[in-house]
Amino acid sequence: MSSNTNPYYNENTILYYNGKFKNASKVSTDLYGQTLHYGYGVFEGIRAYKTSSGTKIFKAREHYERLKKSCELIQIPFPYDIEELTQKTYELLALNHFSDAYIRPIIYCDPNMSLTKPNGVNIMICAWEWGAYLGDNLLNIFISSYCRPHPKSIKIEAKVCGHYINSILATSEAKNNGYDEALLLDSDGFIAEGPGANLFFEKDGELYTPQLGNILPGITRATIIELCQDLGIKLNQGLYKPHTLKNADAAFYCGTAAEVVGIKSINKQNFPLEWKDSLGKKLQTAYKNLVLKNELSTQTN
Ligand code: PMP
C-alpha cells in the first residue's frame, strides 16, 4: 500500500457507497476494476454552500443529470434515481456535518479486463469541506502545447475519468513553466477551455465564450449565460482563435471548483481592463449572490 495518507478523509468520515452510508476508511475497491485500468468511469464535481436558509447544493439536479448523460454517452448503465441521489447527498453532508463542501460522485465499473461494456457498476459519493473562494486573486495562464481530445476520438461532452489525463498533462505543463493555469485549444486551433473550467472573455463591453461542441458543457458556464441575460450583458458564442483572446480587454474562467476567477495575463501579456472594472467581476458578484442564495437551483429540499 502507498505510504501516503489520504487527506480527504479521517477516521470519522462517511461516504455513500452503493446505497449505503459507510465509514470511508472501511471501504475498498477491487484492483481488477475496469475504471482503474482503463479510465472507463464517469464522475461529477458539485459544490454545497452554507446559505442563510441552510446548506444548499448548487444545481444538484443538473450535475446528476450530467452524470447520467455521461454514462449514456459511453454506455455505462445508470441504475440510479436522480432525486434519490440528491437526497442522499444532503444526508451525506449532514452525517459529516459539512456545509461549504465539494462533492465528488463517481460511477465506476466492476472487474473486467476486456475492452467491452461493463460487467456491473458502482456508485460512490464522497465530500470534503471546501470553503467558497470567489476572491480577487487573478490567474496568469498559458496556451498549452496539449490540445483537447478530438470530439471524434471521445465523447467530449461526457465527464469521463480517463479524459482527465489531458487536463493533468496541461496543468502540469503550465505549472512547470511558472504559470497558474493552462488554456487548451481544440484540435483545429480554436480556443476550447481550461483543464477544469470554461473560458469567457470581454471585448468592447460584450462577452464571448467558445461554443459547445469541443468543450465540456459546464454547469457554471450555463449559469453565467443565464446571469448575462439577467444583467443585460451581450454574450456571443463562437469559434475563436488565440489572437482574438489576446486582443480582448479581460477574461475569466468559471467552473464548479474554480467558481468565477479573473485572468490577469495570457502567455505573459496582461489584459488591459482592470478586473474590478470588468464584466467578469460583475458576474463574479452575481454568481456569489446566487450560490449563497441558491435561487436558480432545482434542489429538492
Ligand atoms: N471544463 C472541464 C474540462 C471541466 O473539467 C470542468 C469542471 N467540471 C468545466 C469545464 C466546468 O464545468 P462545471 O461548471 O460544470 O463545473
Side-chain angles (χ1 to χ4, degrees):
M1 201 175 138
S2 157
S3 58
N4 287 338
T5 52
N6 186 328
Y8 299 98
Y9 67 78
N10 61 35
E11 66 282 5
N12 300 318
T13 307
I14 305 291
L15 53 72
Y16 179 77
Y17 173 69
N18 286 343
K20 297 202 171 82
F21 291 105
K22 303 247 183 189
N23 184 303
S25 59
K26 304 253 160 60
V27 273
S28 57
T29 180
D30 198 296
L31 293 176
Y32 292 67
Q34 212 177 9
T35 309
L36 180 65
H37 287 259
Y38 306 126
Y40 188 40
V42 304
F43 70 101
E44 268 305 319
I46 315 177
R47 261 197 199 248
Y49 292 92
K50 184 175 182 164
T51 75
S52 47
S53 46
T55 302
K56 297 286 175 191
I57 302 172
F58 188 64
K59 299 209 165 180
R61 162 168 288 282
E62 287 83 342
H63 281 281
Y64 281 118
E65 273 170 358
R66 187 170 65 187
L67 189 71
K68 182 177 181 190
K69 175 130 192 267
S70 295
C71 279
E72 285 165 3
L73 282 166
I74 65 166
Q75 290 156 47
I76 289 180
F78 186 87
Y80 311 108
D81 178 71
I82 287 174
E83 296 298 331
E84 190 183 343
L85 291 180
T86 305
Q87 192 52 44
K88 293 295 176 193
T89 310
Y90 273 103
E91 284 177 40
L92 178 75
L93 294 176
L95 285 167
N96 285 294
H97 310 289
F98 293 161
S99 282
D100 285 317
Y102 185 80
I103 301 153
R104 167 55 55 84
I106 181 167
I107 294 185
Y108 66 94
C109 303
D110 279 344
N112 180 3
M113 288 297 166
S114 67
L115 301 176
T116 54
K117 65 181 171 54
N119 284 336
V121 290
N122 306 274
I123 186 161
M124 189 281 274
I125 309 173
C126 61
W128 55 89
E129 276 183 302
W130 201 10
Y133 167 59
L134 291 159
D136 284 339
N137 240 352
L138 305 182
L139 302 175
N140 295 302
I141 69 166
F142 138 99
I143 299 178
S144 182
S145 68
Y146 297 98
C147 69
R148 288 297 281 156
H150 194 288
K152 285 190 175 165
S153 307
I154 59 159
K155 299 289 185 188
I156 194 86
E157 322 90 280
K159 203 165 161 63
V160 175
C161 300
H163 295 179
Y164 280 80
I165 310 290
N166 175 250
S167 297
I168 290 171
L169 289 172
T171 304
S172 310
E173 183 190 39
K175 303 244 185 235
N176 289 342
N177 283 290
Y179 294 88
D180 301 310
E181 191 55 283
L183 170 68
L184 292 101
L185 308 181
D186 69 19
S187 51
D188 293 322
F190 293 104
I191 293 161
E193 61 191 324
N198 291 115
L199 181 90
F200 285 76
F201 60 91
E202 174 179 350
K203 181 72 181 175
D204 297 334
E206 293 184 12
L207 217 53
Y208 296 78
T209 196
Q211 68 190 32
L212 298 182
N214 291 341
I215 57 172
L216 186 83
I219 288 161
T220 320
R221 178 187 181 278
T223 307
I224 294 293
I225 293 172
E226 287 169 3
L227 288 173
C228 283
Q229 283 160 4
D230 291 353
L231 297 172
I233 296 171
K234 180 151 193 297
L235 174 79
N236 305 278
Q237 301 185 50
L239 291 171
Y240 308 108
K241 289 277 183 177
H243 68 85
T244 310
L245 175 62
K246 286 180 182 163
N247 284 322
D249 300 327
F252 65 90
Y253 268 145
C254 71
T256 301
E259 300 173 314
V260 176
V261 55
I263 298 174
K264 184 176 176 203
S265 69
I266 175 151
N267 287 14
K268 300 215 163 86
Q269 185 186 315
N270 281 0
F271 288 106
L273 192 61
E274 278 203 59
W275 174 242
K276 67 175 175 49
D277 302 323
S278 69
L279 292 172
K281 174 69 191 179
K282 211 172 172 180
L283 285 158
Q284 186 190 54
T285 305
Y287 184 77
K288 183 178 188 170
N289 291 336
L290 183 64
V291 295
L292 296 181
K293 277 194 292 180
N294 211 14
E295 276 171 355
L296 284 184
S297 174
T298 49
Q299 44 79 30
T300 53
N301 65 347

